[in-house]
Amino acid sequence: TRKESSAASDVYKRQDQLIREQMTLPTVIIPIHEITEIIEGIADLSVLTVKSNSQTILIHSGIAGYQEIRQKLETIRPITPFESEVKK
């Protein structure tokens, strides 16, 4: 259902799809079975990156309902922490 919403961005699960709608960008639709990876924390930001072979959805922690979205995504595939290739 379409519960997680803000004026600028909307991320929700409908049937077997994860959908991101944003005012200034094209709508991105990833079928749930095509999600290959979910990464959290890119470049020191609280961002979830949902990847498939052909699409990527970025979900910033500032979006309304972020924790609920994160919990739902965790049931689809484990969320892995971002690991930089650059060693400090």
Side-chain angles (χ1 to χ4, degrees), residues 2 5 18-20 24 28 31 34 39 42-45 48 51 55 61-62 64 66-67 79 85-86:
R2 204 172 164 168
S5 151
L18 185 67
I19 300 166
R20 195 268 349 256
T24 59
V28 177
E34 290 184 13
I39 304 167
I42 292 179
D44 296 327
L45 298 174
L48 287 172
K51 293 184 176 185
Q55 301 277 351
S61 62
Y66 176 82
Q67 287 302 323
I79 297 173
E85 294 179 17
V86 177

Side-chain angles (χ1 to χ4, degrees), residues 37-45 47 49 51 79-88:
E37 188 173 27
I38 303 172
I39 304 167
E40 185 169 44
I42 292 179
D44 296 327
L45 298 174
V47 174
T49 303
K51 293 184 176 185
I79 297 173
T80 57
F82 174 74
E83 294 184 18
S84 173
E85 294 179 17
V86 177
K87 303 287 183 189
K88 293 183 180 180

Side-chain angles (χ1 to χ4, degrees), residues 6-57:
S6 73
S9 184
D10 198 3
V11 177
Y12 56 95
K13 182 181 172 205
R14 179 175 60 205
Q15 297 172 348
D16 292 334
Q17 300 174 324
L18 185 67
I19 300 166
R20 195 268 349 256
E21 294 179 336
Q22 193 165 347
M23 291 172 30
T24 59
L25 297 172
T27 297
V28 177
I29 300 171
I30 299 179
I32 297 297
H33 71 276
E34 290 184 13
I35 293 174
T36 57
E37 188 173 27
I38 303 172
I39 304 167
E40 185 169 44
I42 292 179
D44 296 327
L45 298 174
S46 295
V47 174
L48 287 172
T49 303
V50 182
K51 293 184 176 185
S52 74
N53 291 330
S54 60
Q55 301 277 351
T56 300
I57 295 176

